[in-house]
Amino acid sequence: MRAFLCIGIVAALAMASGAIAMLASQSQGMDAISVAHAQTETSGCSVAATRTLSSSAIRACESCGAKLEVFPHCPPEPFNVVLVLTGYAAPGTSAERLAQRWTEAAIEALAMPSNPHVQVGVVYVRRTAIIRSELTNREGDVSRASRVDRVPVGAASGDWPCYSCGFEQAARVLGESDRGRNAVVFIGGMVEWPLIEHDDDSYYRDWLRGARNAKGAAETLIVGCPWTTDCKEGAGFPWYREASPGYYFSTAGPGRFAGAIEDLVPGPLLIAVESLAIDETVPVELAYLVGSAVPAPTDYDPATGRLRWSFTAPITDSLPITLTYRVKPRDSLSAAITTTFAGGRVLLTDTDYLTRTLLAPSTVLTITGACAPIVTPTATPTKTNIPPTPSATPTSSPTATATLIPQPVYLPLSLREVPCTRTQPADVVLVMDASTSMEEPAGDGRTKIEAARSAAVAFIELLQLDVDDQAAIIAFNSDARIVIGLSGDGDALVSALDGITTASQTCLVCGLEAAGEALQSDSRIIANQPVVILLTDGRSNPRPASEAVDEAARLKADGVVIFTIGLGAELDDAALTAIASKPSFAFRASDGTALEEIYREIAVTLPGPADCYWGRRRADPRRSSRSSSGALCASDSTASPAIATPSAS
């Protein structure tokens, strides 16, 4: 059977995250694929399209299947909340515990896991203000950002509040989003100026100035004051009056405060797809096979070769609308040519009657030439010699025949494999253990961290960064940090590996949460397959491995492919297997040399499974080659013997 390679032209502007997993699964089995994306500038809806051919080359007597998939997506309008947290309370006291309790109550009331349209940011206020988290729906990120350091205020610490700074940063986080769907939640109190040796009401005025600025960016300002001393009963100024009516809460515990936040969260405001018009143009060298399209086109113009499909609401959001049809070379075509599918377009109209036109992607088809005529061989008569019949036939005595014992027979078998071709580039996040145990020997003369750096460098070199592949690097120990976000700059990625330092503990879930954050960044190419490769040499602590398994499940539900690598002997094999997308994606490395081979194997098979190769044989990285889309493919295998056992004759 003839194998065809992928031929595609990819043009990506933006796409909803939920559609990417479908792009990977729906396109399998087709050989020529190209992708295009568009993002509406006004409604927020997006649309993506892929065009796929069943073959990249045909003869003039053959036909070719074409498939167009269209992915509409209209995300819900977000509800944005910024938590403004003050850093003033005596550490280790009930005041500090109260402040954290109120903060946790606010986060719980927002119920981000069940409200995907709720986006939350965190701002931390002391002498200045710091944005601890931009708007996100990841509750774990918000919880970590809200664990702030607290100090005594004023002369005891030399630390003074800048309320206006905090509210200014909150407005910056909200940006140009719809004020009617924004809220600011302030958790803290008013510093009493006599206690900090001030002779005027400058802090009160600073608070008023900041609060009014915040209300310019958000319709609702909620104030929660956990402490009696600094709330309206003890403060010298009526600062609390700047809270939105009915949204000031103090000292009675966080119950009513959290309840008000929960009641404030609106349901998702949806914009839907009202209609789609899809035009497809058949190249002039080809003819549409009438009646082959599924579904049937709304209109077909034989003069121009243009097919049109029209769809109206209800249209399933984030699922592909699939169109298929067949074409064949025109009868007059006999010479070899290359023709291009181009000129198609998708017109999306949303329920606000805002439209966006997407040019369908281009794909190339090669016609190799005319088919050879069928030649029927002419039978040649042969002369038959008939021997004379003997007058008498001698009869011989029967001879005993030995019984053959079955033996193995070695038959040479030459195998030419169909390449395991990746139909789309990848955004790969390397999540690397940076615990102190990584400074221990790796068993090959290097430390584990040195072996991990070397293996990661080899992996990065196997990616096709000059096309569309990207990589990011996460280091984790007691927490996790993004050493470098998604990037196609190989030198920058290698440099970032050198900057990884070790510390105590092995928080697996922290590494996976940071990987999810990296895959949600603005650098993400939404057409790329998201992949996470987690390396660790120990068991999860201080947070349990079950949290890492749960976080991995969330990532996999979003279409992320996860590989795990355990280095050494002190491992939680069950957890690493559960975290991986499938058991065959969980690897174990005995030393640094084995680690490099595993990274190379993942790079060669990325993102497909190991059994993509005949007989589950591993591709030799030294014999690997790249496909035109930037993927790595298996080379032709060498001849290998097959063993057969004949029956006795």
Side-chain angles (χ1 to χ4, degrees):
M1 181 182 292
R2 182 172 52 187
F4 299 109
L5 296 177
C6 300
I7 299 176
I9 300 174
V10 182
L13 299 177
M15 175 183 174
S17 60
I20 187 65
M22 297 175 189
L23 283 171
S25 61
Q26 294 289 333
S27 302
Q28 300 210 352
M30 306 295 278
D31 293 313
I33 185 168
S34 55
V35 185
H37 304 280
Q39 175 75 38
T40 60
E41 298 176 353
T42 52
S43 70
C45 292
S46 64
V47 59
T50 69
R51 190 206 304 276
T52 309
L53 302 181
S54 60
S55 298
S56 59
I58 60 172
R59 295 177 296 169
C61 60
E62 298 173 332
S63 66
C64 177
K67 179 166 74 172
L68 193 68
E69 292 177 299
V70 178
F71 296 81
H73 179 74
C74 291
E77 187 75 18
F79 176 66
N80 304 311
V81 179
V82 179
L83 303 179
V84 180
L85 311 176
T86 60
Y88 300 108
T93 65
S94 60
E96 182 181 37
R97 290 191 293 273
L98 269 175
Q100 191 60 39
R101 182 183 169 197
W102 280 58
T103 302
E104 291 169 356
I107 295 171
E108 184 177 347
L110 292 167
M112 284 172 269
S114 58
N115 290 317
H117 63 293
V118 173
Q119 304 283 321
V120 182
V122 179
V123 173
Y124 176 46
V125 180
R126 278 174 51 183
R127 182 186 297 272
T128 184
I130 300 172
I131 298 174
R132 293 289 302 269
S133 173
E134 298 285 355
L135 292 173
T136 178
N137 182 252
R138 299 179 66 84
E139 188 173 271
D141 293 349
V142 175
S143 294
R144 285 195 302 275
S146 69
R147 295 173 193 148
V148 297
D149 296 328
R150 301 187 188 275
V151 298
V153 69
S157 63
D159 214 328
W160 316 95
C162 179
Y163 297 119
S164 61
C165 299
F167 287 121
E168 180 182 343
Q169 294 290 56
R172 184 171 300 172
V173 170
L174 293 171
E176 299 298 323
S177 54
D178 181 4
R179 177 181 177 275
R181 294 183 66 82
N182 293 343
V184 172
V185 178
F186 176 86
I187 301 177
M190 169 58 63
V191 172
E192 292 197 87
W193 61 266
L195 299 180
I196 58 173
E197 303 175 358
H198 257 255
D199 56 1
D200 57 26
D201 57 356
S202 60
Y203 287 101
Y204 169 62
R205 287 186 286 105
D206 181 61
W207 158 269
L208 294 182
R209 183 167 58 252
R212 290 167 185 173
N213 182 31
K215 288 193 290 186
E219 185 172 87
T220 307
L221 172 60
I222 303 173
V223 174
C225 184
W227 313 294
T228 302
T229 304
D230 297 332
C231 299
K232 69 177 181 179
E233 290 84 356
F237 303 101
W239 60 282
Y240 51 86
R241 292 178 183 170
E242 284 302 316
S244 298
Y247 284 104
Y248 172 78
F249 303 91
S250 69
T251 65
R256 291 176 53 248
F257 168 69
I261 294 175
E262 184 176 356
D263 294 342
L264 182 67
V265 176
L269 178 63
L270 294 176
I271 300 173
V273 179
E274 178 68 24
S275 65
L276 279 172
I278 304 170
D279 288 345
E280 178 76 313
T281 302
V282 177
V284 295
E285 297 86 357
L286 305 175
Y288 162 61
L289 295 179
V290 177
S292 66
V294 179
T298 309
D299 182 47
Y300 168 56
D301 184 354
T304 62
R306 182 171 291 275
L307 299 155
R308 164 164 281 207
W309 290 265
S310 298
F311 300 90
T312 56
I315 295 174
T316 304
D317 189 29
S318 296
L319 294 178
I321 294 173
T322 303
L323 314 173
T324 62
Y325 62 95
R326 298 193 69 81
V327 294
K328 69 177 186 65
R330 294 192 178 274
D331 295 337
S332 59
L333 192 62
S334 60
I337 65 164
T338 297
T339 186
T340 302
F341 286 76
R345 67 172 192 164
V346 180
L347 179 67
L348 179 149
T349 304
D350 64 25
T351 48
D352 286 340
Y353 297 98
L354 302 171
T355 62
R356 177 68 177 183
T357 300
L358 164 70
L359 294 179
S362 299
T363 304
V364 174
L365 175 67
T366 299
I367 300 168
T368 58
C371 297
I374 300 174
V375 178
T376 304
T378 303
T380 303
T382 58
K383 182 179 180 180
T384 305
N385 294 323
I386 302 175
T389 303
S391 57
T393 303
T395 303
S396 59
S397 300
T399 303
T401 303
T403 301
L404 297 179
I405 299 174
Q407 298 289 335
V409 177
Y410 290 87
L411 303 176
L413 173 65
S414 179
L415 174 68
R416 184 178 180 85
E417 291 183 342
V418 176
C420 174
T421 304
R422 191 153 43 107
T423 59
Q424 63 186 118
D427 281 351
V428 186
V429 183
L430 300 177
V431 182
M432 302 182 67
D433 191 335
S435 60
T436 49
S437 60
M438 290 290 286
E439 299 289 354
E440 297 172 357
D444 61 353
R446 298 175 293 176
T447 64
K448 294 177 183 177
I449 193 68
E450 289 170 345
R453 288 193 187 102
S454 177
V457 168
F459 176 86
I460 289 166
E461 289 173 349
L462 287 174
L463 296 177
Q464 192 162 351
L465 299 174
D466 56 343
V467 183
D468 279 320
D469 285 349
Q470 295 190 115
I473 297 168
I474 306 291
F476 69 92
N477 32 64
S478 61
D479 206 338
R481 67 185 182 93
I482 300 175
V483 183
I484 182 171
L486 287 169
S487 170
D489 186 338
D491 292 338
L493 289 165
V494 171
S495 250
L497 288 168
D498 293 336
I500 294 177
T501 56
T502 60
S504 61
Q505 297 184 325
T506 308
C507 183
L508 293 182
V509 65
C510 298
L512 291 172
E513 288 172 343
E517 182 181 341
L519 289 172
Q520 289 185 337
S521 70
D522 293 339
S523 301
R524 174 93 165 83
I525 298 177
I526 209 67
N528 288 9
Q529 172 66 47
V531 177
V532 170
I533 304 174
L534 171 69
L535 166 68
T536 184
D537 77 331
R539 297 174 178 271
S540 183
N541 69 90
R543 297 169 68 181
S546 59
E547 291 189 19
V549 173
D550 292 342
E551 179 63 22
R554 284 189 285 271
L555 291 172
K556 288 182 281 190
D558 289 339
V560 180
V561 176
I562 303 179
F563 297 85
T564 60
I565 306 172
L567 174 59
E570 298 297 324
L571 299 167
D572 187 342
D573 290 321
L576 293 178
T577 301
I579 290 169
S581 290
K582 58 176 67 176
S584 61
F585 285 4
F587 295 85
R588 183 82 175 263
S590 57
D591 56 25
T593 303
L595 181 63
E596 291 194 16
E597 289 302 316
I598 289 171
Y599 270 104
R600 289 180 184 275
E601 181 177 342
I602 292 173
V604 169
T605 61
L606 185 69
D611 58 5
C612 181
Y613 301 99
W614 181 81
R616 289 185 60 82
R617 288 182 296 102
R618 293 178 177 178
D620 184 348
R622 295 168 296 180
R623 295 173 53 80
S624 65
S625 59
R626 293 182 184 272
S627 74
S628 60
S629 68
L632 297 171
C633 306
S635 305
D636 296 337
S637 69
T638 56
S640 58
I643 301 176
T645 303
S647 59
S649 59

